[in-house]
Structures are given as C-alpha cells and as structure tokens.
Amino acid sequence: MSGVGRRTFLKATAAAGAATTAVSGTAHASSAPVFEHGVASGDPLPDGVLLWTRVVTTAPVRWEVARDATFTRVVARGRTTTGAHRDHTVKVEVSGLRPATHYYYRFTTADVVSPVGRTKTAPRPSDDCGSLRFGVVSCSNWIAGHFAAYGYLASRDDLDAVIHLGDYVYEYFEPGVRVTEPQRECETVDDYRTRHAQYKTDPHLRALHAAHPVIATWDDHESAENSSAIGSPVHDPATEGPWAIRLAAATQAYFEWMPVREGKLTRRLQFGRLADLTMLDLRSYRTDTTILGTAQRNWLASSLTDGCVRWKLVGNSVMLAPLKIPPLPGLPPTNTDQWDGFPADRDHVLRALDRAGMKNAVFLTGDIHSSWAIDVPFGETTVATEFVSTSVTSDNFDERIGVPPRTASLQIEAQFRALNPHVKFVELDSHGAQVLTVTPEQVQMDWHYVADKRDPNTATTKAHSWRTQHNMAQVEQVL
Ligand SMILES: [Fe+2]
C-alpha cells in the first residue's frame, strides 16, 4: 500500500472510531450497538475474503467493501443478521473481488458505523507474483503481558496476510501482568466466549485484525492444555464432565470469534504460482496414536507433493522435527505433545517428501515460545525446513526458571544444538513476531523481538534472520 493510501486509511479509521465513540457515548444510555471488538478479515482468496465483526443488535448489519479508505469507490455491499445463537458475531463471505488487491471494509447497524478494516486478496493461481510477505505469530497469553508484537505487525504496510499458529487465547486462570475474564479456567461455551471477547478488546490485537487478513489455526490452549480429540491432562471428567462437551464448547466459541470459515481448520490457500499455505489442525483428530488422523495425514502427504507451486508453506502448531531435550529439571527427554509423540505420522509425511524428491516445504511452527531454524531430517538427508515462531507474550525459558534473559539459556541453547545437529538456530528467551518473505529463490524468516512484554509501548527490533534456498532444505543465517 502506498504511503498516501495508508495515511488515508489511518485517517478514515480514526474518523470511524470517533463516529462509533460518539454514538456509543450517547447510546450507553439508550443501548445503541457498539463495535467494541473491532473488525477482522481472514483466509483471503483471489476473488474474495471473509469479514468478521461482533455487534449486539437485532437490526440488520450492513457491510461495505471499497477500494479506498473513505468508501467513495464501494465495490460490494450487503446485509446480514446476527444474534445470541452465535454470540452476536458476524461473518460475511465476500466474492467478486480482484486478485492481489487491497480493500477496505466496514459494518453499519442502526446508524452506528464500525471501525474500518483493510484487507488484501490473494493472487490468482496462475499469477507469477514476485514475492509474498506474511506476519507469523503464536502464543499470545493475556496474563503474560501486552500484545505489542501484534501492534508491530499492524504497523507494517507490506504484509499479504498474518499467519497465526495457535494459542491465540489461553484457557486457564492465573495471576499475571493482566487479569483475564472470566476469572476462572474456561470450561463452558460462555467461558470461552468471554475469554475471546476480552482478547479482542486488546488495542494491539484489534489493530492487527484491522490492518491485515489473518489465517489462523489453533493449538491446545484454545481448548485446554495438551488437548486432543479424546481429552486433556488438565481436564478431569469426574469433576468437569465429559471432555467432548468442553471441546465442543471451545470449538463453537473459536469458530464464532475467529475470522475463519466454519467447519474445518484444515485447509489450503494458494498465492499465485509462488506458494500455497496448508493449515493443519493438530488437535481435533489427535488420539494416543495419531496427531493428524488418517484423512488429514493422507491429504497432507499428497498436498505437499502435488508440484503445483514453487514453495509449500505449512501452518503447523507444534514442532515437526525430532528434538532431544538436554537433562533439565522437570523436563522429559522428548516432548511427546509435539510430532515426537507420533513418529508414524511424521515418517508418513516425510517419506512422501523424500520419495517425491521435494525439499521445498517450509513448516511454520508455534507452541514452544522460542525461536528455531531447523533442517528437518529424514534418514541420512534433510527433506524440509522448519522455522519456529516465538511467543507474543507466553512465558519462555528464562521466565519459567526465573533467571535473567541471555544468562542460563545460552548454555542450554548450546546443549540443544549439540544434541540435535539439525537445529541450526535456537533462542529461548525473547518474545515477538516474525516476518516471512517468500521469493522464487528463497524463503526468509525474520524474528522481531520486543524489549519488554510488560510494556504496551515497548520497542520492537529485528534480531535474527535465517533463510532456506529453493529445494535445498538447508537453513543459513542471513547477516
Ligand atoms: Fe503456547
């Protein structure tokens, strides 16, 4: 987006926000609707995008999509309704748009106008786009700090979309920098709805959603710690009821509150001939013996080897590569919540890559609140690249053991690299957001770290860059 375009957008957003505030100011007295959770868009296609908002109203909700932030060139409009059955969330599937184009959108109900959002459609499958750029994030825990890393991505003009790898909300209740609502662990659909609602009042998260389309999958904490289709170690059916009911409640709230198409999180989005993005759901089909389930496993293996695009990006909530953990108090030698707990599924997928002779898959991973660049091994060779996003705020190594950053972690990082020669980079202490740049020649991950997650206005600095060249599956540092 041009500088002029962005200034116009910011001005229009401010104006819309002022309009909303002005109306809601009078209206708190007369119960006029308020767009207090902002607006969002998601899962861009070449000709459309999903729009989201929430507003408590019985009136129709009108929506508009325009080429400009002041809505002088409206290209699509319509109306819909919402209600308590979906917690007053609104989703609109817009089609008929042009590929690889920025659009602006807003909602109106009962003369109240929402903030303005900006989104972008994907390139056509046949397009030779020269480059793509994505924000990559995971693990934003309200109690652990402020979401300044989201604010950093919101301030960038050069992102095609933001990929969220899970732990968008955390279900538990603990003391911290900020207090969650509800002030208890989430168990019911109302609990999960309340938690999602609170997160979407965060100004940095609202800014992120208003600035870019988000492509999200979930991990465990959108339901409960280390969850699967059959349970969670923190869920006790004897006192908390059947797991299936709690999982259904968490799933319902997620689909209501997130800008994703409803029904299934496993999906593939294409961005011209340069890349496609396969989003995995590693929780809904997980049992004691599979992380993917048979259908998702077979689909992933064929999706990664169909040869349609130059790069195969994968949104993968937990670490794919095998990982030996150094002897540390309270930690097992492997983390079986990761793919390490499901070697048969991993072998199936990596063998498919090996047989196809393809090394162009790049797994984008969250979950472990730290930064990694890895050559994914299979037998004597490497078959893929894995870049692990650090957390927006969730506690990481130094915080968990109670030492200053960049002290004890340095030795542990060296131990990780020694035990796991395929791990080329690991940083255990910092929080932030990542930017992934895709060109025909290479895919590069930049880790941007925040100085102090307890400070909502903290500075963000680019700290590390690693890349993989096409069909090499060998990461290298970019200095
Ligand atoms: Fe997490």
Side-chain angles (χ1 to χ4, degrees):
M1 178 163 127
S2 70
V4 171
R6 174 161 177 79
R7 280 197 297 278
T8 309
F9 167 58
L10 293 173
K11 202 168 146 192
T13 304
T20 305
T21 307
V23 174
S24 64
T26 33
H28 269 301
S30 58
S31 299
V34 182
F35 291 90
E36 66 177 305
H37 302 102
V39 297
S41 69
D43 282 18
L45 303 173
D47 66 343
V49 69
L50 189 79
L51 305 182
W52 179 96
T53 192
R54 180 180 186 270
V55 60
V56 179
T57 183
T58 54
V61 180
R62 297 192 303 280
W63 56 270
E64 296 170 282
V65 176
R67 289 295 310 277
D68 63 312
T70 51
F71 290 82
T72 54
R73 287 188 289 157
V74 173
V75 297
R77 57 163 55 98
R79 62 167 57 191
T80 186
T81 57
T82 186
H85 65 285
R86 51 177 301 118
D87 203 16
H88 309 282
T89 58
V90 174
K91 282 188 190 176
V92 173
E93 184 78 67
V94 181
S95 59
L97 304 182
R98 290 162 54 170
T101 302
H102 275 115
Y103 289 96
Y104 301 83
Y105 59 95
R106 66 185 179 189
F107 301 84
T108 308
T109 188
D111 296 329
V112 179
V113 183
S114 75
V116 173
R118 176 184 58 173
T119 191
K120 188 178 183 186
T121 50
R124 270 187 297 253
S126 57
D127 285 351
D128 275 318
C129 45
S131 68
L132 294 162
R133 187 161 285 149
F134 299 100
V136 181
V137 279
S138 61
C139 298
S140 45
N141 193 342
W142 181 277
I143 64 169
H146 293 275
F147 298 159
Y150 284 153
Y152 170 69
L153 292 184
S155 74
R156 288 195 59 141
D157 276 345
D158 57 350
L159 304 181
D160 290 282
V162 172
I163 301 166
H164 203 297
L165 299 166
D167 288 357
Y168 179 98
V169 298
Y170 280 72
E171 87 288 6
Y172 56 78
F173 177 67
E174 278 180 4
V177 178
R178 300 193 281 179
V179 178
T180 53
E181 295 294 339
Q183 294 182 28
R184 60 179 175 275
E185 184 176 316
C186 295
E187 293 182 7
T188 68
V189 68
D190 283 345
D191 292 340
Y192 286 107
R193 284 169 163 176
T194 301
R195 190 63 54 89
H196 275 279
Q198 182 187 35
Y199 273 60
K200 280 201 169 67
T201 62
D202 179 275
H204 295 303
L205 181 52
R206 281 182 49 155
L208 178 79
H209 278 301
H212 309 293
V214 168
I215 303 166
T217 191
W218 70 358
D219 197 31
D220 56 332
H221 286 289
E222 287 88 346
S223 54
E225 169 120 355
N226 289 2
S227 59
S228 72
I230 57 176
S232 156
V234 300
H235 180 83
D236 180 2
T239 58
E240 297 173 290
W243 168 249
I245 291 177
R246 182 170 175 184
L247 181 59
T251 304
Q252 180 180 339
Y254 187 86
F255 278 111
E256 288 170 350
W257 279 85
M258 294 298 290
V260 294
R261 296 186 176 88
E262 295 182 18
K264 190 162 88 159
L265 286 174
T266 306
R267 63 214 191 265
R268 180 163 69 160
L269 299 163
Q270 188 168 345
F271 294 85
R273 294 161 73 163
L274 185 55
D276 61 26
L277 171 63
T278 295
M279 297 298 287
L280 298 180
D281 179 348
L282 300 183
R283 297 292 167 183
S284 299
Y285 314 105
R286 177 188 291 227
T287 66
D288 290 337
T289 56
T290 179
I291 190 170
L292 290 166
T294 305
Q296 186 177 214
R297 186 194 66 191
N298 293 340
W299 175 80
L300 175 61
S302 64
S303 178
L304 290 180
T305 53
D306 67 7
C308 292
V309 293
R310 191 150 174 92
W311 291 101
K312 296 285 188 178
L313 309 178
V314 184
N316 167 60
S317 62
V318 299
M319 186 182 275
L320 173 72
L323 187 70
K324 293 178 182 151
I325 299 173
L328 292 167
L331 283 185
T334 57
N335 178 355
T336 55
D337 186 62
Q338 303 179 171
W339 287 72
D340 266 338
F342 306 91
D345 276 1
R346 180 169 58 201
D347 283 356
H348 184 98
V349 173
L350 298 186
R351 183 174 296 110
L353 288 174
D354 189 47
R355 282 187 180 154
M358 302 179 78
K359 295 174 184 268
N360 64 342
V362 180
F363 286 77
L364 306 169
T365 300
D367 179 49
I368 46 176
H369 313 171
S370 46
S371 311
W372 307 67
I374 301 172
D375 297 338
V376 179
F378 183 71
E380 298 303 308
T381 186
T382 64
V383 292
T385 297
E386 183 164 30
F387 292 132
V388 181
S389 142
T390 191
S391 64
V392 172
T393 58
S394 303
D395 283 357
N396 49 22
F397 190 76
D398 55 322
E399 292 152 342
R400 287 190 176 174
I401 64 171
V403 298
R406 313 317 295 142
T407 57
S409 301
L410 297 175
Q411 188 186 354
I412 308 296
E413 290 163 7
Q415 289 179 281
F416 268 116
R417 289 194 303 272
L419 278 172
N420 304 277
H422 51 285
V423 169
K424 304 303 180 186
F425 163 63
V426 50
E427 203 274 21
L428 295 173
D429 291 341
S430 298
H431 306 280
Q434 291 63 224
V435 173
L436 187 83
T437 304
V438 183
T439 67
E441 295 77 31
Q442 66 176 50
V443 173
Q444 177 169 323
M445 181 85 134
D446 299 330
W447 282 263
H448 297 257
Y449 292 154
V450 295
D452 179 3
K453 68 179 187 177
R454 303 170 69 92
D455 175 4
N457 302 309
T458 188
T460 305
T461 309
K462 184 158 95 171
H464 303 283
S465 297
W466 286 74
R467 70 180 174 191
T468 185
Q469 300 203 41
H470 189 250
N471 267 346
M472 297 292 286
Q474 288 182 351
V475 296
E476 55 190 8
Q477 187 170 16
V478 181
L479 296 170

